[in-house]
Amino acid sequence: MINQRVPKIWYGGDYNPEQWDKATMEEDLRMFELAGVDVATLNVFSWAKTQRDEHSYDFTWLDEIMDRLAEEGVHVCLATSTGAHPAWMAKKYPDILRVDYDGRKRKFGGRHNSCPNSPTYRKYSALMARKLAERYKDHPALVIWHVSNEYGGYCYCDNCESQFRIWLKERYGTLDKLNAAWNTGFWGHTLYEWDEIVVPNALSEEFGGNRTFFQGISLDYRRFQSDSLLACYRLERDELKKITPDMPVTTNLMGFYPELDYFEWAKHMDVVSWDNYPAIDTPVSFTAMSHNLMRGLKSGQPFMLMEQTPSVQNWSPYNSAKRPGVMRLWSYQAVAHGADTVMFFQLRRSVGACEKFHGALIEHVGHEHTRVFRECAELGAELQQLGDQLLGSRSNAKVAIMYDWENRWALELSSGPSKALNYVDEVHKYYDALYQLNIQTDIIGVEEDLGKYDVMVAPVMYMVKPGVARRVEQFVSRGGTFVTTFFSGIVNENDLVTLGGHPGELRHVMGIWAEEIDALLPGQHNQIEWNQEWGSLRGSYPCGLLCDVIHAETAEVLAGYGSDFYKGTPVVTRNRFGEGLAYYVASSPDSKFLQGFLANLCEEQGVKPLLNTPTGVEVTERVKDGGSYLFVLNHNAEEMTFDAGSAKLFDLLSNRQVSGHVTIPGRDVMILKRSAAQS
Amino acid sequence: MINQRVPKIWYGGDYNPEQWDKATMEEDLRMFELAGVDVATLNVFSWAKTQRDEHSYDFTWLDEIMDRLAEEGVHVCLATSTGAHPAWMAKKYPDILRVDYDGRKRKFGGRHNSCPNSPTYRKYSALMARKLAERYKDHPALVIWHVSNEYGGYCYCDNCESQFRIWLKERYGTLDKLNAAWNTGFWGHTLYEWDEIVVPNALSEEFGGNRTFFQGISLDYRRFQSDSLLACYRLERDELKKITPDMPVTTNLMGFYPELDYFEWAKHMDVVSWDNYPAIDTPVSFTAMSHNLMRGLKSGQPFMLMEQTPSVQNWSPYNSAKRPGVMRLWSYQAVAHGADTVMFFQLRRSVGACEKFHGALIEHVGHEHTRVFRECAELGAELQQLGDQLLGSRSNAKVAIMYDWENRWALELSSGPSKALNYVDEVHKYYDALYQLNIQTDIIGVEEDLGKYDVMVAPVMYMVKPGVARRVEQFVSRGGTFVTTFFSGIVNENDLVTLGGHPGELRHVMGIWAEEIDALLPGQHNQIEWNQEWGSLRGSYPCGLLCDVIHAETAEVLAGYGSDFYKGTPVVTRNRFGEGLAYYVASSPDSKFLQGFLANLCEEQGVKPLLNTPTGVEVTERVKDGGSYLFVLNHNAEEMTFDAGSAKLFDLLSNRQVSGHVTIPGRDVMILKRSAAQS
Amino acid sequence: MINQRVPKIWYGGDYNPEQWDKATMEEDLRMFELAGVDVATLNVFSWAKTQRDEHSYDFTWLDEIMDRLAEEGVHVCLATSTGAHPAWMAKKYPDILRVDYDGRKRKFGGRHNSCPNSPTYRKYSALMARKLAERYKDHPALVIWHVSNEYGGYCYCDNCESQFRIWLKERYGTLDKLNAAWNTGFWGHTLYEWDEIVVPNALSEEFGGNRTFFQGISLDYRRFQSDSLLACYRLERDELKKITPDMPVTTNLMGFYPELDYFEWAKHMDVVSWDNYPAIDTPVSFTAMSHNLMRGLKSGQPFMLMEQTPSVQNWSPYNSAKRPGVMRLWSYQAVAHGADTVMFFQLRRSVGACEKFHGALIEHVGHEHTRVFRECAELGAELQQLGDQLLGSRSNAKVAIMYDWENRWALELSSGPSKALNYVDEVHKYYDALYQLNIQTDIIGVEEDLGKYDVMVAPVMYMVKPGVARRVEQFVSRGGTFVTTFFSGIVNENDLVTLGGHPGELRHVMGIWAEEIDALLPGQHNQIEWNQEWGSLRGSYPCGLLCDVIHAETAEVLAGYGSDFYKGTPVVTRNRFGEGLAYYVASSPDSKFLQGFLANLCEEQGVKPLLNTPTGVEVTERVKDGGSYLFVLNHNAEEMTFDAGSAKLFDLLSNRQVSGHVTIPGRDVMILKRSAAQS
């Protein structure tokens, strides 16, 4: 449980009463009560309000709000306000301003605008955290610390350049090692002094945002910037922990956000929280996968849904309203995947500036007689009724997909073989197939304990970091099923090619050699020719993007290519390795193949679907104290029917028992409890 | 009449004989005579030629040209040459160079390149105006002053930054008021000192040209830059007026050019002039609307067509020749909409640099035996024949569309609800429907006297400036018909939301509440279900872009949505308010609906089409001294027939009477005079 | 012969053993032997390795490699390593770093990164060349000098600005002449002092990379930058020649690379070499044309294929493998068009940085058991077998196409008439038609001796440089056939329009006047109506892009336009001029028309196809000592049959005689020798 003070699924969101008058706040409190709001996130962007110069801090406005919320039984997720620095600070201490990718020194503006290596930023942000902790350490409303906000963006200033050199010295020790790691001999970039190193951006080694002449330096700069921002977080976290060691600390993450290695970050967070803003055309399985990634950051520990919109966004190209029922459906989807909170951005819509058209619990009209408010209030009531029974329950998945930010960076920075290769899309392809099968799947990092799982999928495992290949071998040899794909095992952690034949460190366990990698044009396809029967698999399936031309060494060939000069050569192979099996999929198949293929692998391992449901009806499970909670989410607008099996299940939301053929209305949700004894 | 010295529709254009030798000029004069040219615009880009350092001015070259033109009876529209500064000035006084949106200090180059807050520019441009006025105040050729050229572009330099702070102090008085107006509390941008304010561009609050984090500062910067350039114009104008108080002063505008608030500018111009460059695919109704906007800047006063091309442009992607007859047709279109001049860019084609492939009266071949010259000469002869009878005639429209630059800026800067929303397109949709109906329509600013009109349309009236809602209420209560649309009445002049329910200040007169605003994806549609009969309206019409979900309060529901979760809720409403009617159109309909809808509204008010004509045959009217001139313009390549009615009308161009069924050749024009007694 | 030391078609490529250990090099040598490699290009990017500060040079690593290669009979193409400067040099002497188009000073990174007007670069690059020449002048492995690498890119720094002014003073002498050449009177850019001139880039006269306000300055800046880089090349070349006057010197060019005027460059090169990287969708006729351009740079002298990939590239969007046989086929295509070497980038794949996924003879797997290696080794054996018999053979084309870089720059910089106009595409259209006809065609510069040819085509000869029109007139009057097109004869070398009617200086020889130039929209077409019979021509052919509206003066009209207001006016004309004929094609036709049209022209001149072959079977010829080598290249995947005629031809590759109907397998090659007596 995140904090015993709120022993239920938290409900609330971002709240900025300091932007309004007191009468409005009283009206808000009246409506919070109607909506069942019990947690408000305060102080996210109030640094300038609190601190008007180096020496003057004024928290009285925050005292009043905290006290008033406490009186009304609303708890506080207290932000440290360091997500945007004050204008006076930028004016007086320009080191706090970033230099952008194009080498331009920025002026004051925006948010997430502080250089992470700015002495000014580090000094005053840590001081702010300390002052907040000192002042509110005993406040009855406080339930969690929220450090800064949505960390992100890179800086390329001279301070960063100096710190980058220090960071590199720590990483490599000598320039010889650095020259080797970056392969500087290529194009004659040999470095003789540390201060010859410059930041890689559009003025030096990079171009187009994600393209580089030297993958080594660019990879390291991503690591360094992720670390620099993390160092800022840790500075504040440490200040908070000194004074309130038992109060949980988080910062809100952003799912598959590309710039930060959240697996590193999560090590320093008590609880993961994140902001879920699916676009209008985001597949629901992508949202599901994102939740599982956030859950996987801390090995399955429940997380916080820190932000979602009650209805519209403002920053999408087309900001459609969430249709009736969708806000509730997606809120429960978060819970189904491990969230122990449901929170909004925001509780009252702002009157001006760029987010005034972002939805809120309390709209511009200012009263509760809106569709959006009504739906929020109904959900608030349900969450109160659910109480604490789901809190702390976890996934029990036997299947996992590996995802790694450093691998992603390396793939995005790669020059060749195909610009169409998108790592996250390939990960999602595999996740989506398992999702459609109702097979519970974790998303994990490469350091996770693999022993928990029966089936492990690592799509496009291009970069194999130290020790990972050995751990994969152990996993397989002890009976696990491992799947990887084309363009895997290519490089080490410095993006240097593992010589001697792809897939490099994975070659032993996969039992194949990939001689060539062929890139297909958009719309061009080859075929997976599946000639034996295995489950539902049979016949020809299209594949594309990249085609590894491989040789089976110890592996068995399951299917061959259907065309081109490598027609008939292996495209899917299986290698027996110890007690387990290692599958290689040498191209990028369609969803139909993957569902058939993964269903078979799971079946081999005795991993079965949670339920069989029609398309669009998602099923997931949380378990706790031996009991199971099956979440059934109907993403269709129409009612659907599924077979819940013969056991009696109790729907926590409708308070009734169900079994056999069950009908679920369009966009409705069930939480079917199966007691420990039953399962 | 612009100037009694040329008592006819002026005919001529930009002329740069100083770029050629004298023999060429003599040849030009010979051809001007053949073409009927009587006005030449001189000195547009000759600053560097005239002034080679701070102290040396040489006007002798201009004296010669002016004298020679006067001898040949060609009058002069005399430009002040300050549209591009000399290279030496940029070298010596870099403050004259702009800083661009990306924060880059520019070097010498291009045109429209002077910082409007540059002390150097202000000093020397005003001085140049004074010297020109002193020298040519009594010159017989002079008929009008043409200040600078096509003002435009913004600057972001330190001088602009300082002046912006002063401008803001004047506007807001205190930082508290400014903080409130910009809602700086959002994202903690509270300002404690004036000099914390920085210009909003890609280095601070803006990105992508028209996107911003803080609409307040960005709106104000547009106002400030429009005012800064206007101040430059006014400085020159004042110098000219001191010496030649009776000589008219203009500067050439550019129709719907986005960056300047021409309604403010027109207050300081004696006559509006503009440059009309329709693209090959510009709808003719858009050109018509642009003319009407230019006419509307000074409440219907005739304007100057300062520039158009005789045939090709050079700066379009594909520079097609104007087909035979089109130059004449579009020239008369300008006159039909209120122009009292027909002028070209340019009279002789330049030999080098970027506009050498822009068409001219005299082509590179250098003689008069070209199609383009022949067509120009025929038009010149016609205009001479027309004499002064049309001069000063005006529109008598009973229908007007409101257009406002500040509203446009605010809409373009808005983050959400849809990137597909284009204010000018929505204005044009309504204009085009009225144009197709042959209903004469003015385009007016929000300060215009509404009492002249029976029907007023204000599409997407997002920003309601002080006093405007009250004036709309008066207009309706006194019997007017008012139409507005979705996403109206949202904000005040600072882009702060009017709380309490949309459409804010317009809610009372519209009698509705807009609860939600739903954005549709491209290609996605809802329907307007029109179930009663009203004129030609009946059945289902597609609508899209945005759908306000509204509640009729005092209004009557005329039609409901056809689908989605707001199916059946109102999409078109009518509110009786005093003696008049206020219509709300909650989504963006197609042209067919709008024609039926607006025809009905006009019919209710007794506003009728000027004539009934086939598609592509435009009709417009100018009136003077009780007489009427009906312009019939056949934009089709083929001949068309229309019913001119039973009255005898006299065609000024063919010198014959017409009535009943009249045939008009392809791309031909008629100017049908109806005397005061007749009408 | 390039160098007597390697009396055969050179075979090898770029080689960087200094990036590897010695054992790897020994392994490489073993495999070179297997592959028949006899030339290795060394030291391309080793500046930083050799020189670690101003005074320390260490060539011992290179000594060892050179010696070891010499021992194994591998010769060396020795690069001077100045294609990328060392990091320490950039740190210490920032003048070596470029300023980019946007005015940004670059930091260290990339390659081709030195300002060509940097004193530091000029000093140390020349010094490096001298030191290399001194050290290796007598080395037995050395066969050619390779200066720098793929020169390219422009700089816009202050040093360039100063040098540009000096360059302009030399070109124009006085500012009056410069003002006239640039037509600075337009937009008032008159210059009074040389130091008012600033470099034309995105901060001054240009925008969008290739768009400008003043074509004159932009053209001159391209000339100046091409000259500046050439000056760098010449500095090194001179140092090399001082010490090794008989050793050939080259630098690797890049086909139709836009930025440098290679015709000027080739004057200073002993042998042209180039890097051939067709994209996956590059037409084979475009590759053929590129080879011919490289051949034409030195009037037909055989050139070096310096780089091609054995299979994949890395920098294309989609890097497909070369299908089996394609590497050999394209290698012979180079030879067929005049190459006397076949060389790869590179011999061993790099382990890290941006080109690690570029193909190589020796792949990452490190052994010879790959498809790519096998194909390379087979080709190596064939080339050894061919010996020296093809060396020095040349084209005997009677047809030539003129191509000119300055014309290209002027066209790309032109504002109007159509953004769809692409000079190289128009040149290729004509080349491709001749290619499809198997008519041998040279690509030549405007200074080439025209007397060698019977038919000369100059597509879009927009810029007519001094003396060229006279030489065209001579060519035609002496019996040649000349073809030019729409938008020709427009400007002189300063991009100033030739007044008095298009096509200006070509008007006399063409016998037409082009009155108007009409631009067509994408997808829009007119027609060439061919009403008499002439060879296969008859009927209606589509044309588009631009349509000159022309008047035949002395010319005969061959075909008229099929539609629009110029329907029936001439679109193709023929003018008898002296003994010859001048054809004007006033629009851009399709390939079918051009094949028919050019076949007829050639037939008139007695120029016949080399052979008749099916589509996709290319034929070209090299001649030497009166003998002929017909290359037959089957670009189809399938086998094809063609008629080789009755004479006995000897296929050098299969070592057999062929005649009559000959079958050639898919992607196969024949080199058919016809002895002097036979032909």
Side-chain angles (χ1 to χ4, degrees), chain B residues 100 149 166 222 226 301 323 334 355 365 380 387 447 482 507 548 565:
Chain B
D100 71 11
N149 184 61
I166 291 166
R222 279 148 183 76
S226 179
Q301 180 185 315
R323 270 48 197 156
E355 291 183 353
V365 72
E447 296 180 8
F482 178 73
R507 189 168 170 189
D548 280 4
F565 73 88

Side-chain angles (χ1 to χ4, degrees), chain B residues 484-501:
Chain B
T484 191
T485 73
F486 62 91
F487 208 47
S488 289
I490 308 294
V491 299
N492 70 8
E493 77 277 17
N494 295 318
D495 202 58
L496 294 178
V497 173
T498 302
L499 299 174

Side-chain angles (χ1 to χ4, degrees), chain C residues 206-223:
Chain C
E206 296 196 13
F207 56 106
N210 243 344
R211 305 185 67 186
T212 184
F213 299 123
F214 278 80
Q215 278 69 23
I217 188 172
S218 293
L219 254 178
D220 276 342
Y221 204 74
R222 277 147 186 77
R223 291 177 175 124

Side-chain angles (χ1 to χ4, degrees), chain C residues 648-677:
Chain C
K648 291 268 189 275
L649 300 169
F650 184 76
D651 179 11
L652 303 186
L653 296 177
S654 63
N655 281 318
R656 60 188 175 98
Q657 285 214 327
V658 301
S659 66
H661 283 272
V662 179
T663 294
I664 180 167
R667 289 179 184 142
D668 205 355
V669 179
M670 292 177 164
I671 307 178
L672 303 177
K673 185 175 180 182
R674 181 159 44 187
S675 66

Side-chain angles (χ1 to χ4, degrees), chain C residues 491-666:
Chain C
V491 298
N492 71 7
E493 77 277 17
N494 294 319
D495 202 57
L496 294 178
V497 173
T498 302
L499 298 175
H502 311 314
E505 293 193 55
L506 300 175
R507 188 167 169 189
H508 188 47
V509 70
M510 303 315 300
I512 58 127
W513 166 43
E515 180 183 341
E516 299 189 53
I517 303 166
D518 190 34
L520 274 56
L521 296 179
Q524 196 186 343
H525 288 94
N526 207 308
Q527 299 78 36
I528 296 173
E529 298 294 340
W530 200 279
N531 292 325
Q532 75 262 45
E533 245 176 277
W534 190 34
S536 66
L537 283 185
R538 175 122 207 134
S540 182
Y541 300 87
C543 62
L545 188 61
L546 290 177
C547 292
D548 280 4
V549 181
I550 67 176
H551 303 267
E553 297 186 317
T554 57
E556 168 192 6
V557 178
L558 298 180
Y561 282 110
S563 55
D564 219 317
F565 73 91
Y566 38 92
K567 175 175 176 173
T569 69
V571 59
V572 183
T573 63
R574 170 167 57 198
N575 196 39
R576 289 197 182 275
F577 188 89
E579 303 295 311
L581 297 167
Y583 290 85
Y584 194 84
V585 184
S587 184
S588 186
D590 69 355
S591 182
K592 195 176 161 207
F593 173 81
L594 282 180
Q595 289 187 45
F597 179 67
L598 293 166
N600 292 348
L601 300 195
C602 290
E603 175 111 10
E604 280 181 338
Q605 287 281 4
V607 178
K608 293 197 184 322
L610 294 165
L611 281 179
N612 290 312
T613 57
T615 299
V617 179
E618 177 180 354
V619 184
T620 188
E621 186 186 36
R622 291 181 72 168
V623 296
K624 180 181 170 184
D625 305 333
S628 153
Y629 300 90
L630 274 180
F631 288 75
V632 183
L633 306 148
N634 184 3
H635 292 284
N636 303 293
E638 306 76 30
E639 88 175 15
M640 292 282 153
T641 302
F642 62 95
D643 182 355
S646 53
K648 291 268 189 275
L649 300 169
F650 184 76
D651 179 11
L652 303 186
L653 296 177
S654 63
N655 281 318
R656 60 188 175 98
Q657 285 214 327
V658 301
S659 66
H661 283 272
V662 179
T663 294
I664 180 167

Side-chain angles (χ1 to χ4, degrees), chain A residues 415-430:
Chain A
S415 177
S418 172
K419 67 176 249 185
L421 174 56
N422 179 306
Y423 175 49
V424 175
D425 284 354
E426 293 302 312
V427 169
H428 178 243
K429 256 191 181 182
Y430 280 82

Side-chain angles (χ1 to χ4, degrees), chain A residues 16-17 36 57 127 168 210 289 335 370 392 511 522 531 560 657:
Chain A
N16 301 291
Y57 290 81
L127 197 54
L168 290 168
N210 243 345
M289 177 175 79
V335 174
T370 66
N531 291 325
Q657 285 215 327

Side-chain angles (χ1 to χ4, degrees), chain A residues 20-41:
Chain A
W20 301 84
D21 59 18
K22 290 189 186 175
T24 304
M25 182 176 170
E26 291 305 316
E27 184 66 0
D28 293 340
L29 291 171
R30 182 183 70 81
M31 285 193 275
F32 290 175
E33 169 77 26
L34 292 176
V37 164
D38 41 39
V39 177
T41 303

